[in-house]
Amino acid sequence: MMPLSQKHLLGIKDITADDINLILQTADNFKEVINRPIKKVPSLRDITVANVFFENSTRTRLSFELAEKRLSADVVNFSAAASSVKKGETLLDTVNNILAMKVDMVVMRHASPGAPHFLSRHIEANVINAGDGTHEHPTQALLDSFSIRERLGDVAGKKVAIIGDIMHSRVAISNIFALKKQGAEVMVCGPITLLPKYIKDLGVIVELDVQKALEWCDVANVLRIQLERMQIKYFPSLREYSLYFGINKERLNRLDKEITIMHPGPINRGVEINSDVADSEHAIILDQVENGVAIRMAVLYLLANRSS
Amino acid sequence: MQKRLILNAELLSITVDRLCQQLIENHQDFSNTVILGLQPRGIHFSDLLVDHLNKLTGKEITYGQLDTTFYRDDFRMRETPKAANATNIDFIIEDKEVILVDDVLFTGRTIRAALDAMMAYGRPKKVELMVLINRKYTRDLPISPDYIGKDVNTMETQRVLVDIGEGKKNKVWLINEEE
């Protein structure tokens, strides 16, 4: 078995299709582990991981923490709200202080794109990007691929439509890279104001009519409208967005096939997705959350393996 | 590379038969006994063993496969990561008599990891170890087998190649690695 090609997981753009495959295969084994009565293995018992979160997160942070604990790593948590960052400390200083306490791996979320890349050039520890601004969110894309593979058998050859706020979404970017590397076809769909101008250069199909996107795809990955990242108005109102782009039962009933619905969370019910879809058997939203722990265990395990 | 045959197909089947008889002697009707084959290579031998045991006893003996990868103590010392394999255990081993089955016993580190891994499925009443090939004088840990197919005196530089299972030649070789 080949090790990962990278020392850090900064983005899907930097890793190879073989790396993705290795992570998904390893996650299969960890998924079995987390469904045992005793969900813990001792693999990382000599590793300390710092979860450094400069931006809010519930799911990702809990998921990483559980993954670390189920691998028996020691965990320290850090959130910017309650730290010296407020007192004016720089990112590198903050992290170097944490590393001085002998930490082997850093899981970081930051509002600035490229923050984990910057960090990885200056520190010895392995860096895992848990989301950097509007840039990448690699573990989310990996768990999305894992969930598609689990539901449909394979990612290659599948048609995946990413619907919603593409412009502000790191999930969209990482998913596009991951899906293309695995041989899937990708479409993006949303209001034209929320589609980046050069998105076509990534090799995706652009569609403005959500019903056509649903007709085309095998899997619809529905994204949240990220109001907190919007400094200006990109569409008239949430109600209008919901009318034109919201996924509801009525839209799905009009299709002559069944499609799989995904959402990276947090869900805004009644905006991008209705409850009658989010809670239906077509949605694998909670499977995605479960798979997230297995994927993060695989990433931590494989990076720790590589550090020697 | 020098090869020496230590078990041929005929001797192997006699050995498997003898090991089954020993197990029957100690475990009678296997009502409270489970067999765990160790992934990845031990299961070729344990498949063979359980198959024969089922025929001899006329029962379906509780059998699972255990992977030790995540419990190893040497995983970060390797150049390349060891691929994990599936663990298939759909029963609880609480209060059972467990027979761990592997193909070759060398340093004992795999068995150490297996003992840890097994505990995730309950606290067994008793654990025994069966190996097809017991390499003598090479142990790093105080572990010794209860059932042995064949004892072999080996050196650190030698390797035991177990070529058994579906579509294989059912032979066991001792190989001298070239310096």
Side-chain angles (χ1 to χ4, degrees), chain A residues 29 32 36 43 46 304 308, chain B residues 70-71 75-76 80-81 85 121:
Chain A
N29 298 107
E32 186 268 318
R36 290 181 191 172
S43 309
D46 53 345
S308 53
Chain B
F70 302 134
Y71 296 84
F75 93 98
R76 261 190 303 286
T80 56
N85 294 283
Y121 294 89

Side-chain angles (χ1 to χ4, degrees), chain A residues 159-174:
Chain A
K159 293 175 173 171
V160 183
I162 305 174
I163 300 168
D165 181 358
I166 311 296
M167 170 109 78
H168 300 98
S169 176
R170 51 195 174 210
V171 176
I173 302 292
S174 288

Side-chain angles (χ1 to χ4, degrees), chain A residues 89-150:
Chain A
E89 195 174 49
T90 67
L91 168 62
L92 193 54
D93 281 338
T94 303
V95 173
N96 270 331
N97 273 282
I98 296 170
L99 291 180
M101 300 175 210
K102 304 285 174 257
V103 170
D104 306 287
M105 295 174 115
V106 177
V107 174
M108 186 169 81
R109 167 164 291 189
H110 201 285
S112 301
H117 302 70
F118 162 76
L119 202 62
S120 72
R121 284 198 293 273
H122 291 92
I123 65 173
E124 269 303 298
N126 306 83
V127 178
I128 299 175
N129 181 1
D132 57 334
T134 53
H135 181 219
E136 281 230 42
H137 190 352
T139 54
Q140 179 69 42
L142 290 166
L143 74 90
D144 286 345
S145 290
F146 186 85
S147 304
I148 293 172
R149 177 167 157 272
E150 190 177 64

Side-chain angles (χ1 to χ4, degrees), chain A residues 1-294:
Chain A
M1 187 165 95
M2 287 301 291
L4 286 181
S5 65
Q6 304 290 316
K7 191 188 164 199
H8 311 282
L9 180 66
L10 302 174
I12 302 291
K13 193 183 177 189
D14 314 314
I15 65 174
T16 65
D18 285 342
D19 289 334
I20 295 175
N21 205 11
L22 174 62
I23 294 169
L24 299 194
Q25 273 176 13
T26 310
D28 276 333
N29 298 107
F30 283 119
K31 177 135 191 194
E32 186 268 318
V33 168
I34 59 176
N35 281 294
R36 290 181 191 172
I38 296 175
K39 299 168 177 61
K40 209 165 161 141
V41 292
S43 309
L44 298 197
R45 68 192 147 196
D46 53 345
I47 293 270
T48 307
V49 187
N51 297 321
V52 186
F53 280 70
F54 291 94
E55 216 186 38
N56 289 335
S57 159
T58 326
R59 218 172 328 269
T60 307
R61 183 173 176 159
L62 269 178
S63 183
F64 265 110
E65 195 172 339
L66 264 180
E68 289 148 10
K69 288 183 169 164
R70 291 198 167 147
L71 288 166
S72 305
D74 288 319
V75 181
V76 285
N77 284 308
F78 167 95
S79 68
S83 75
S84 298
V85 174
K86 287 261 182 279
K87 301 174 191 162
E89 195 174 49
T90 67
L91 168 62
L92 193 54
D93 281 338
T94 303
V95 173
N96 270 331
N97 273 282
I98 296 170
L99 291 180
M101 300 175 210
K102 304 285 174 257
V103 170
D104 306 287
M105 295 174 115
V106 177
V107 174
M108 186 169 81
R109 167 164 291 189
H110 201 285
S112 301
H117 302 70
F118 162 76
L119 202 62
S120 72
R121 284 198 293 273
H122 291 92
I123 65 173
E124 269 303 298
N126 306 83
V127 178
I128 299 175
N129 181 1
D132 57 334
T134 53
H135 181 219
E136 281 230 42
H137 190 352
T139 54
Q140 179 69 42
L142 290 166
L143 74 90
D144 286 345
S145 290
F146 186 85
S147 304
I148 293 172
R149 177 167 157 272
E150 190 177 64
R151 181 76 163 214
L152 302 175
D154 203 351
V155 177
K158 297 292 178 293
K159 293 175 173 171
V160 183
I162 305 174
I163 300 168
D165 181 358
I166 311 296
M167 170 109 78
H168 300 98
S169 176
R170 51 195 174 210
V171 176
I173 302 292
S174 288
N175 254 297
I176 291 169
F177 285 130
L179 293 165
K180 298 290 291 181
K181 284 185 183 191
Q182 292 172 93
E185 288 182 70
V186 187
M187 174 183 279
V188 293
C189 174
I192 192 144
T193 48
L194 288 174
L195 297 175
K197 196 172 174 187
Y198 297 107
I199 192 83
K200 268 191 183 150
D201 294 353
L202 296 178
V204 300
I205 308 164
V206 175
E207 174 61 64
L208 300 176
D209 181 340
V210 77
Q211 193 62 34
K212 283 186 184 155
L214 293 174
E215 273 160 22
W216 174 84
C217 71
D218 302 310
V219 179
N221 197 347
V222 187
L223 305 178
R224 184 174 63 92
I225 295 296
Q226 306 202 33
L227 289 173
E228 76 275 17
R229 293 191 204 281
M230 298 182 189
Q231 271 91 41
I232 56 166
K233 261 192 179 293
Y234 289 88
F235 49 87
S237 71
L238 283 178
R239 189 174 131 74
E240 185 165 330
Y241 179 84
S242 175
L243 280 173
Y244 282 94
F245 292 96
I247 310 296
N248 53 41
K249 197 83 200 169
E250 194 258 317
R251 280 195 195 281
L252 296 187
N253 285 344
R254 273 196 267 153
L255 307 175
D256 54 358
K257 59 175 181 179
E258 297 204 337
I259 61 170
T260 303
I261 306 289
M262 299 171 63
H263 192 301
I267 302 178
N268 288 142
R269 285 176 187 263
V271 181
E272 70 271 5
I273 191 165
N274 274 18
S275 291
D276 54 8
V277 174
D279 303 329
S280 72
E281 74 277 17
H282 302 299
I284 53 168
I285 299 169
L286 291 176
D287 297 302
Q288 288 174 266
V289 179
E290 180 186 347
N291 293 338
V293 178

Side-chain angles (χ1 to χ4, degrees), chain B:
Chain B
M1 189 175 72
Q2 287 177 302
K3 284 214 284 193
R4 181 161 71 85
L5 188 65
I6 41 182
L7 276 182
N8 61 24
E10 195 194 347
L11 266 174
L12 178 72
S13 91
I14 294 171
T15 307
V16 168
D17 186 62
R18 181 199 13 107
L19 290 170
C20 287
Q21 300 295 353
Q22 278 180 284
L23 284 180
I24 292 168
E25 207 168 286
N26 288 342
H27 294 268
Q28 284 92 38
D29 64 350
F30 288 86
S31 56
N32 197 38
T33 304
V34 302
I35 294 182
L36 289 183
L38 297 189
Q39 287 273 28
R41 288 189 296 264
I43 61 158
H44 299 301
F45 170 51
S46 60
D47 283 349
L48 208 67
L49 181 93
V50 171
D51 207 35
H52 192 61
L53 206 51
N54 284 342
K55 276 184 204 142
L56 286 177
T57 57
K59 315 177 109 185
E60 190 80 16
I61 287 158
T62 316
Y63 170 48
Q65 285 120 32
L66 182 67
D67 183 55
T68 62
T69 311
F70 302 134
Y71 296 84
R72 297 196 68 91
D73 52 12
D74 59 350
F75 93 98
R76 261 190 303 286
M77 296 177 197
R78 292 167 177 272
E79 279 293 301
T80 56
K82 210 168 164 322
N85 294 283
T87 290
N88 304 306
I89 300 179
D90 50 8
F91 44 86
I92 290 291
I93 60 170
E94 189 74 30
D95 235 11
K96 300 274 190 212
E97 297 189 7
V98 177
I99 304 160
L100 292 177
V101 179
D102 205 358
D103 56 350
V104 181
L105 180 58
F106 180 36
T107 58
R109 285 183 192 266
T110 304
I111 306 302
R112 204 277 313 145
L115 289 170
D116 266 5
M118 190 184 68
M119 297 301 170
Y121 294 89
R123 176 186 184 273
K125 187 171 163 214
K126 187 179 179 195
V127 186
E128 293 179 327
L129 174 62
M130 172 184 286
V131 294
L132 178 61
I133 302 295
N134 178 32
R135 296 182 64 168
K136 294 168 82 181
Y137 317 118
T138 54
R139 220 70 77 231
D140 290 350
L141 296 166
I143 283 170
S144 79
D146 302 281
Y147 308 96
I148 297 167
K150 189 176 172 64
D151 281 314
V152 183
N153 287 327
T154 61
M155 290 184 295
E156 286 260 350
T157 55
Q158 291 173 315
R159 191 161 64 85
V160 176
L161 176 71
V162 179
D163 187 26
I164 64 176
E166 286 274 314
K168 300 284 178 63
K169 298 202 175 69
N170 281 343
K171 286 179 179 175
V172 181
W173 304 86
L174 185 62
I175 294 175
N176 282 319
E177 299 281 10
E178 273 161 48
E179 290 301 307

